[in-house]
Every structure is written in structure tokens, then in C-alpha cells.
Amino acid sequence: MARIPLVLVPGIQGHWKYMRPTVAALSQHFQVLTFSLGPATSLDDYVEQVTRTLDDNGADRAVVCGVSFGGLIALRFAATHPDRTRALI
């Protein structure tokens, strides 16, 4: 049975590696997709990173989970891409 994709958006520190224990725990139940925040000039640049993560992994829709500042990115993604958002955390 395929696991539901979950995009884990990191906080302002930007590196997904800081969330390794969280990725390991969530991976027991979800297909965890994450990334490190790259350079951006707007919140929508970060939203595009979420979109690329989904596209690069062949995921049409996902649960989107933001940690700290990543929560703002996740919220903006869900607001602008409701068709690709299964749930928002």
C-alpha cells in the first residue's frame, strides 16, 4: 500500500537535516518529502520550492506540514494550491 505524501517544510534555519528525527518518525506512516529552503525574495518563492518538491517526486497532492516559519510557507501553499493540498498542519 502506497503511503500518503507529506511535505515537511523547515523553519527559518532552512536546513531539513535539523529535522531528521521528525522525518524518521513520520516516515513510519507517510512518504516524507522535504527540502532545505533556498534563496528567496518573497514567500511565493518558497511556495515554488514546495511545488518543485511535489513535482520532482511525482506527487499530485500531499499533506503539507510547516515547522515554525515553514508554517507560513505551508499556509501560503495551501491557500494558493488547494488542489494540491490534502491537509495542512
Side-chain angles (χ1 to χ4, degrees):
M1 181 174 175
R3 289 178 291 159
I4 295 169
L6 182 146
V7 177
L8 186 58
V9 184
I12 195 68
Q13 89 289 354
H15 297 284
W16 76 267
K17 293 178 183 178
Y18 293 120
M19 300 185 303
R20 278 189 177 154
T22 304
V23 170
L26 290 171
S27 291
Q28 295 177 33
H29 305 283
F30 296 93
Q31 175 193 4
V32 179
L33 312 173
T34 191
F35 57 94
S36 294
L37 297 179
T41 58
S42 71
L43 197 56
D44 289 327
D45 290 343
Y46 291 124
V47 167
E48 181 58 32
Q49 292 177 31
V50 176
T51 302
R52 277 196 311 273
T53 299
L54 289 173
D55 292 345
D56 290 350
N57 288 279
D60 293 329
R61 297 178 70 218
V63 173
V64 183
C65 176
V67 176
S68 190
F69 176 71
L72 292 175
I73 299 166
L75 179 60
R76 177 72 176 173
F77 178 84
T80 57
H81 296 84
D83 56 319
R84 300 199 74 181
T85 306
R86 186 176 184 128
L88 174 64
I89 303 171

